[in-house]
Amino acid sequence: MADGYTRSGGLSAGTAVAFAVGNMVGAGVFVLSGLMVQTAGPAAVLSYLLCGILVAFTGLSYAVLASICPGDGGGYLYAHHMLGPYPGFLAGWGMYISVTIASAFVLLGLGIYANRLLGTAFDPRIAALVGLVLLTLLNLRSTAEAGRAEVALVAAKIVVLLLVAAVGVINLTPADFTPFFPHGTGAMLDGVAMVFFAYLGFQVVAMMGGEIKSSARVVPLATLASIGIVAVIYCGVEVALLAAHLPAYGDSSLFDAAVVFFGGWGGTIVAIGAIFSTLSAANANIIGGSRVILTMAAEKQIPGRFAALKGEQPANAVLLSAGVAAGLILLGNLGVIVDLTNTVALVSMGLVNISAVILTLGHRPVPGDRTYFRIPFGPLIPLVGAGSCILMLVTLPLPVLAAGGAALLAGTIFFVVEDTPEGERATAEIREFIEREER
């Protein structure tokens, strides 16, 4: 994959959207939705909506660049070709770290809802680790099998969420939005940064570009469609929580709202949907993260031994992602995990937006025989995307920013370390594997 432009794989457009929606509609709605009402009150609906609009600007940058670089790796490929090797490495490493950390968060959400389903009080980390082991084994078998599982999991949870949202809208009254800003507009703006995490999944489509049929055309459409779909779902769920008139809101309020609307069986269905949801989101993260590592190894930006293939599956990359996620699950702090994810993802997305600015200004011309998705208004949209990333970064706590920066810089060790002979052979095998998929 010397030029990063030619690869096209076998996942359909519907599967691509399922992966992105599955990634986004996970703990971001089942866990964060109640915490958002606790933070911003009825203005939580506006927080989700504004964040979706801001993310769409970055999504457009991804779309134009994905249509030119239709291969696995997403933002890594874009920044690598537009900004150079080291900025490209930081973009790829940041994307990999963010989706791996996100896997830990959503699997902890699985543990929370497993307790609500079973009426138990086990440490959520137990169920989270069990889920991680199962998904790791699935991804060690086949990406195609993981993809089929993803479509089924996404369909199940979307039906559950749309049902809850519809009943919530029916029961909503104007009084449910009064006062709209109970904690001030500042709380609503804090909520925008808080729910950014919930939209990160759109980048999974770009990460798996090489696995998608006609990726130059499908990746932009799937990216924008997935952002729009989940924005509607998030706002609908927030409306349902407000209409339920719960005495208090927290990390499992969606379960409580379902009990209000449907009785005990409603809570059971939502808990099962949450388990499906968190499994599908973590599944998409593991697949996307492993593909980034695979592509970076093929470009010799990380040692090949960390992405070595086994049975034509990126086994070492999957195991590396699972190991990092397991460590964060054991940490068990949801707030720290969300903020850390946002930090590294915002840096990575900022680099992608800068790459799109360079492209739209014509500083890196596209081959004349290549058609690509053109965003309107020239560099304006990617500039707004980059600016929104910066604005959300400055709202995060300084210790979290420092930890995120340390995580990004720690990856530099992979960038500069010399590979072993075994790793060189693994890199050659990865390149041969990618070339076979291109054919």
Side-chain angles (χ1 to χ4, degrees):
M1 198 172 65
D3 60 6
Y5 292 151
T6 59
R7 192 172 168 216
S8 184
L11 297 179
S12 67
T15 302
V17 172
F19 269 111
V21 173
N23 191 298
M24 285 185 275
V25 184
V29 64
F30 285 96
V31 176
L32 277 185
S33 58
L35 296 175
M36 278 300 301
V37 176
Q38 184 185 72
T39 298
V45 177
L46 187 56
S47 295
Y48 271 108
L49 184 60
L50 286 178
C51 189
I53 293 171
L54 292 177
V55 169
F57 287 111
T58 297
L60 286 168
S61 294
Y62 270 78
V64 65
L65 291 165
S67 68
I68 297 171
C69 306
D72 286 343
Y76 160 69
L77 279 179
Y78 314 150
H80 177 69
H81 288 290
M82 298 294 170
L83 302 178
Y86 187 63
F89 170 83
L90 288 179
W93 182 251
M95 186 173 293
Y96 166 72
I97 288 293
S98 67
V99 298
T100 303
I101 298 171
S103 297
F105 177 84
V106 297
L107 287 170
L108 285 168
L110 179 150
I112 291 169
Y113 273 89
N115 275 334
R116 297 303 300 267
L117 175 65
L118 301 173
T120 57
F122 294 119
D123 189 328
R125 292 176 294 185
I126 297 173
L129 290 171
V130 171
L132 178 62
V133 170
L134 293 175
L135 291 177
T136 300
L137 293 174
L138 175 64
N139 279 278
L140 289 174
R141 286 179 56 83
S142 167
T143 299
E145 288 186 20
R148 287 190 290 271
E150 188 70 15
V151 173
L153 289 170
V154 170
K157 70 181 175 185
I158 293 302
V159 169
V160 171
L161 290 172
L162 288 178
L163 179 61
V164 173
V167 174
V169 169
I170 292 171
N171 288 277
L172 188 70
T173 66
D176 294 326
F177 286 106
T178 305
F180 191 70
F181 296 105
H183 309 300
T185 56
M188 184 274 294
L189 294 175
D190 288 342
V192 172
M194 183 176 174
V195 301
F196 174 76
F197 166 88
Y199 283 98
L200 290 181
F202 80 86
Q203 61 185 335
V204 167
V205 178
M207 289 181 192
M208 299 187 305
E211 300 291 327
I212 297 171
K213 296 175 182 176
S214 305
S215 57
R217 176 180 60 85
V218 171
V219 168
L221 295 176
T223 298
L224 297 177
S226 62
I227 294 172
I229 290 169
V230 300
V232 171
I233 292 172
Y234 287 156
C235 291
V237 168
E238 289 299 309
V239 166
L241 292 184
L242 295 172
H245 305 141
L246 300 177
Y249 291 89
D251 56 20
S252 58
S253 291
L254 190 53
F255 177 95
D256 297 326
V259 172
V260 169
F261 293 136
F262 307 111
W265 68 269
T268 298
I269 290 176
V270 164
I272 293 172
I275 290 172
F276 284 153
S277 180
T278 50
L279 283 172
S280 70
N283 184 44
N285 278 326
I286 291 171
I287 292 175
S290 67
R291 302 310 296 192
V292 172
I293 290 294
L294 197 68
T295 303
M296 294 176 74
E299 298 280 353
K300 291 191 172 182
Q301 292 223 306
I302 66 169
R305 60 185 178 274
F306 292 106
L309 297 169
K310 292 183 180 179
E312 298 213 334
Q313 293 300 317
N316 282 13
V318 170
L319 291 172
L320 179 63
S321 297
V324 175
L328 290 164
I329 287 171
L330 292 173
L331 175 65
N333 189 315
L334 292 175
V336 170
I337 291 173
V338 169
D339 285 343
L340 189 57
T341 303
N342 286 343
T343 301
V344 294
L346 285 167
V347 172
S348 179
M349 290 185 179
L351 291 170
V352 172
N353 279 299
I354 293 170
S355 299
V357 170
I358 293 172
L359 175 68
T360 55
L361 290 175
H363 295 317
R364 290 295 302 272
V366 179
D369 61 347
R370 178 166 294 279
T371 58
Y372 65 96
F373 177 77
R374 298 176 185 271
I375 51 178
F377 311 116
L380 178 60
I381 286 177
L383 281 172
V384 172
S388 67
C389 289
I390 293 171
L391 287 174
M392 284 188 275
L393 270 173
V394 300
T395 67
L396 296 173
L398 186 58
V400 173
L401 289 174
L408 285 171
L409 293 177
T412 304
I413 297 173
F414 291 95
F415 183 74
V416 300
V417 71
E418 292 290 335
D419 210 347
T420 62
E422 180 185 357
E424 293 285 354
R425 288 192 294 272
T427 298
E429 290 175 359
I430 290 168
R431 288 184 167 183
E432 290 174 3
F433 169 70
I434 291 174
E435 288 173 1
R436 285 197 300 274
E437 289 195 331
E438 288 176 359
R439 294 195 293 268

